[in-house]
Amino acid sequence: MDSFLIRGPCRLEGSVTISGAKNAMLPLMASSLLTGGRCSFGNVPDLRDTRTMMKLLGVLGVSSSLRDGHLEIDASTVTSFEAPYDLVRTMRASIYSLGPLLTRYGTARVSLPGGCAWGPRPVDLHIRGIIALGAKVRIDHGYIDATADRLHGAEMILSVPSVGATVNIMMAAVLADGITVIDNAAREPEIVELAGALKKAGAVISGEGTSKITIEGVTEIGEIMHDVIPDRIEAGTFAAAAVLTGGRIQIDNCRPDHLHAVLEKLRECGASIEVSGNCMIVTGPGTIRPTDVETGFYPAFPTDMQAQIMAVLSRAKGSSTIVEHVYPDRFTHVPELKRLGAKINLDGNVAVVNGVDSFEGAPVMATDIRASSALILAGLVAEGETKVLRVYHIDRGYEQLEEKLGALGADIKRIKE
Ligand code: EPU
């Protein structure tokens, strides 16, 4: 497993271009299974997760090729309806094959993903959703075994506005008979993105971006052709890096309108942020101010930025509180940040972060994509050498992170092992 060697401290300066959004791309790729034909996507990030989804499509008989941000998928020959455990456990988003396979082919067998590094992460809402649409579901040897002659529309209220459940149910409902209403649906930009791409291909969907999405089933949809939105979490991570290092970064090809809660918190930390269309310039303060953060469902502060803001607040002048509401156990980065010198007290889903003046480089271990990026940010301002182990997590979700940081002045190199 590769690692990153970072020599700090540094101040980042320059410009960076944001890649396409991982969490928008993965549902779009799965939605190709609805079409029975060819699909093409632009601004596609070449990530480990993109490649894992291509592998899964391959297992299902679907060919795909990715070159220079352009992804072609030919879903005219689906030969298998099973998403195997080996792929689902490496990438939970493999569960996005469930809705499309079921609604188009009447059968899907998808491994249950199991737990993840920071807790149980259930998929009960995905399952309840497809049952409401008329599927027969059996849990068989760790697999979700679902069948249906033809799904029918239904009205449902999600107990939690789950992104994944909204994606799966929306895709299943697109080819169902009649009208589906998803109440308390997720409102994330990635949902709006998927609905937009499906609508261009003939799906009838309204209300995406609000908590009530209505889908009127159609008998078929055509080729999906779509350019993927920029990754809001990657943009937020670079903005946090500018603040933490007291630097100045021009972030190009981003969607500041998807980042309101993050930018508000960074401003409270003292950042100056100039927004102009799809670009923003983030300038870090001389002294970082403490602030309090609570994660929540969009448009609240994203859980996917919690670890990075914790790295920033660890160097603030004073004490901050971070409350994690989406994944109450998502704190695997805390003991690792402490190895660098951070002072954090964790009590349940509440972290009290007492800012310190300096970090010292140390070996640290990443356990998920966002924890890894937080450790890299912290390494940038630590004195001496920080080795971030297991960077395959970074490769799942950040395109060319070390090249992008290097171009901004960071001393970071990948050690291949
Ligand atoms: N939940 C349930 N039952 C379900 C599904 C979810 O109780 O059936 C709960 C979860 O336990 C959690 C909440 O609902 O408390 C939200 O989970 P959600 O389903 O929205 O998460 P997800 O779809 O599994 C996506 C992103 C995650 C991101 C979360 C929250 C993708 C591929 N993944 O996961 O991204 O943290 O939404 O915004 O879109 C990442 O990119 O690093 C990442 C982990």
Side-chain angles (χ1 to χ4, degrees), residues 32-33 54 57-64 73-79:
S32 66
L33 294 166
M54 290 170 74
L57 291 173
V59 167
L60 302 175
V62 171
S63 61
S64 59
I73 298 179
D74 181 357
S76 54
T77 52
V78 172
T79 51

Side-chain angles (χ1 to χ4, degrees), residues 23 39 64 90 139 174 187 189 254 265 277 325 381 398 417:
N23 290 347
C39 296
S64 59
T90 38
I139 302 300
V174 158
R187 295 159 62 189
C254 68
K265 286 297 155 189
H325 290 293
V381 291
Y398 288 88
E417 276 165 27

Side-chain angles (χ1 to χ4, degrees), residues 22-23 26 93 96 118 121-126 160-164 188 297 303-304 326-327 330 369-370:
K22 167 180 87 76
N23 290 347
L26 297 173
Y96 288 159
W118 70 78
R121 294 187 77 188
V123 290
D124 56 311
L125 299 177
H126 302 234
V160 183
S162 153
V163 174
E188 270 70 0
F297 303 107
T303 174
D304 288 344
V326 180
Y327 293 115
R330 191 177 195 177
I369 305 173
R370 311 305 168 189

Side-chain angles (χ1 to χ4, degrees), residues 333-345:
H333 43 285
V334 169
E336 302 299 314
L337 285 171
K338 282 173 149 179
R339 287 178 53 72
L340 299 174
K343 289 207 162 31
I344 303 163
N345 292 316

Side-chain angles (χ1 to χ4, degrees), residues 123-145:
V123 290
D124 56 311
L125 299 177
H126 302 234
I127 297 174
R128 272 192 238 166
I130 58 167
I131 291 175
L133 297 177
K136 289 196 178 62
V137 176
R138 203 159 63 91
I139 302 300
D140 174 44
H141 295 281
Y143 277 74
I144 306 164
D145 226 331

